[in-house]
Amino acid sequence: MNGAEDRLATVLRPVRAGNGFEEALEQILQVVRLGLVPDGERLPAERELAERLRISRVTLREVLKVLADQGLVESRRGRYGGTFVRARAAGSTGPAELRRRLGAVDVEDTLRFREVLEVGAAGLGASHGLTPDQAARLRAALDATRDAPLPDYRRLDTLLHLTLADVSGSATLAAQYAAVRATVNDLLDCIPLLVRNLEHSQRQHAALVEAVLEGDADGAREVMREHCRGTAALLRGFLA
């Protein structure tokens, strides 16, 4: 399984009978909102998506049509065709959009739940120890965030945190984290990227990964708690 497939496996899982359309739509929306497939790049082929989600191609096409109608993806024909993630328009987080997003989510509850999941994932990963493959994935995700161009930073930061959740050993925790992170990303998109904050975050990331790899559960939990609270403070400051 390559790196892209690893990232998608955190979110794309077989849906339950009865709500196939709704759950498939939720999961593919998360793929887009989390940046697991960057703007302008192609989603996996319909056959692969249908197999991962265990839905029919007909249901999948209905899901993709909804996303296209919402301006989130576009279909292209030809040899290099497929379904591509559309770049978000500049200025999409103006005052009206900010009010909409804040009205659709309980910010404090989201931030608290995010902290609980992240701290728990860091502790679990450090406690049970990582396989060589998991350790390599975690190091690679950390390396990708170093010196990342500002436009790519949040996407790569998200992938690092998703990897930490995924190597926790709890598929349920990883799925819950993917959902809450999508909401957090909607909020983060409403505030500016601050270089000073990113430098601080990178130091925390490095300490966090080191603690997980060394099996220091208490240290991993403490670094992650501090990291989450720093992000929460920024969001509260800008969104209040």
Side-chain angles (χ1 to χ4, degrees), residues 135-152:
R137 285 176 52 207
L138 189 55
R139 289 190 184 97
L142 175 63
D143 288 344
T145 63
R146 292 193 176 105
D147 300 320
L150 280 180
D152 294 336

Side-chain angles (χ1 to χ4, degrees), residues 143-159:
D143 288 344
T145 63
R146 292 193 176 105
D147 300 320
L150 280 180
D152 294 336
Y153 185 83
R154 281 209 176 122
R155 180 177 64 84
L156 296 173
D157 171 70
T158 296
L159 295 178

Side-chain angles (χ1 to χ4, degrees), residues 7-186:
R7 296 194 292 270
L8 293 177
T10 304
V11 174
L12 296 180
R13 303 176 186 278
V15 302
R16 293 170 294 184
N19 291 315
F21 170 80
E22 291 82 4
E23 292 189 16
L25 178 59
E26 177 188 23
Q27 291 187 36
I28 298 177
L29 271 170
Q30 286 180 11
V31 167
V32 174
R33 292 167 68 198
L34 291 167
L36 298 183
V37 176
D39 291 349
E41 293 195 11
R42 182 169 51 189
L43 290 172
E46 285 188 7
R47 179 178 179 180
E48 179 184 347
L49 282 174
E51 288 177 351
R52 282 177 176 268
L53 296 166
R54 294 185 189 170
I55 58 175
S56 70
R57 297 277 286 273
V58 171
T59 298
L60 176 62
R61 285 168 185 159
E62 291 175 348
V63 168
L64 296 177
K65 183 179 185 305
V66 170
L67 297 178
D69 289 345
Q70 294 299 310
L72 299 173
V73 302
E74 62 180 352
S75 295
R76 302 177 192 169
R77 296 185 177 183
R79 181 177 179 182
Y80 300 105
T83 302
F84 292 77
V85 176
R86 294 187 64 182
R88 284 171 289 187
S92 62
T93 53
E97 176 65 9
L98 176 57
R99 286 193 296 272
R100 185 193 69 78
R101 293 187 185 187
L102 291 178
V105 63
D106 184 329
V107 176
E108 286 300 322
D109 184 65
T110 297
L111 295 176
R112 290 190 191 103
F113 190 41
R114 183 246 178 139
E115 181 178 327
V116 167
L117 292 175
E118 293 246 40
V119 171
L124 282 173
S127 295
H128 70 61
L130 306 188
T131 66
D133 176 66
Q134 288 175 324
R137 285 176 52 207
L138 189 55
R139 289 190 184 97
L142 175 63
D143 288 344
T145 63
R146 292 193 176 105
D147 300 320
L150 280 180
D152 294 336
Y153 185 83
R154 281 209 176 122
R155 180 177 64 84
L156 296 173
D157 171 70
T158 296
L159 295 178
L160 171 60
H161 284 264
L162 284 171
T163 302
L164 281 161
D166 197 41
V167 302
S168 71
S170 171
T172 301
L173 187 156
Q176 288 291 316
Y177 177 67
V180 78
R181 179 69 192 219
T183 301
V184 170
N185 277 7
D186 278 347

Side-chain angles (χ1 to χ4, degrees), residues 110-120 122 161 177 181 184 201 204-205 208 220-236:
T110 297
L111 295 176
R112 290 190 191 103
F113 190 41
R114 183 246 178 139
E115 181 178 327
V116 167
L117 292 175
E118 293 246 40
V119 171
H161 284 264
Y177 177 67
R181 179 69 192 219
V184 170
S201 291
Q204 291 176 327
H205 285 160
L208 176 61
R221 283 190 289 263
E222 185 56 34
V223 174
M224 182 63 91
R225 184 175 292 108
E226 180 181 334
H227 183 63
C228 288
R229 290 180 180 177
T231 301
L234 275 182
L235 284 169
R236 291 188 185 104

